Amino acid sequence: MAVHPILIAGDPRLTTAATAVTEFDRELARFVADLFETNTAANGAGLAANQIGDPRAVFVYDLVDDGVRHRGCVVNPMLETAELPETMPDPEADLEGCLSVPGEWFPTGRADWARVRGVDVTGAEVVVEATGYLARCLQHETDHLSGRLYLERLIGRNRREARRMIKAHGWTTPGRSWLPGE
């Protein structure tokens, strides 16, 4: 297993939709192990393949929600959600961060319920249904695989603040990354 550098906002690989996985072999299993290792080293809740520069439609999650640990992998995910809120997100309860936007958190509107259908590394069906933090994570990671950062979901003053933050960090050019553990 290996820890990989995580791409930072501004890299076009983060805004490119993932490609479906068609080969379920040892290499895919090793790759998913690397995703878990990288996510753990970064203290993340989830990590999508394109965040480390790989175009495949796969993500991992490993988080604690309401005292229960949730850990898994979804390949070729399809997302269903409850209705998205149209109001301004709560500045405390709806804070969201991203390993590709390191050190920054913004209130982000997400559906209260989500279900992801896909397969695991062997091609067996996987269905993950959730509320709370896990539902937020499932939506966040499937957004990544659609080529969408959570910053695009921000509204109002949060969106304006995020744009200023991107410029202040110089995250407007491709090729930036960080290595968890350094």
Side-chain angles (χ1 to χ4, degrees), residues 152-165:
E152 294 176 44
R153 291 205 176 268
L154 301 179
I155 59 174
R157 67 181 174 272
N158 297 319
R159 188 177 193 93
R160 290 188 297 278
E161 186 180 329
R163 286 183 181 147
R164 285 190 294 272
M165 175 273 303

Side-chain angles (χ1 to χ4, degrees), residues 32-110:
V32 167
D34 286 355
L35 282 175
F36 276 116
E37 184 89 7
T38 303
N39 186 59
T40 298
N43 295 315
L47 184 66
N50 61 340
Q51 289 183 271
I52 63 170
D54 190 290
R56 289 178 281 189
V58 57
F59 72 82
V60 298
Y61 59 93
D62 189 353
L63 58 92
V64 175
D65 186 15
D66 245 358
V68 177
R69 184 178 185 198
H70 302 274
R71 186 175 195 274
C73 164
V74 184
V75 179
N76 300 333
M78 298 298 293
L79 176 70
E80 300 172 61
T81 67
E83 193 171 321
L84 291 171
E86 294 182 18
T87 58
M88 191 67 145
D90 184 302
E92 292 178 24
D94 293 329
L95 273 182
E96 191 165 319
C98 178
L99 296 175
S100 290
V101 186
E104 302 293 340
W105 295 81
F106 291 96
T108 308
R110 295 285 186 183

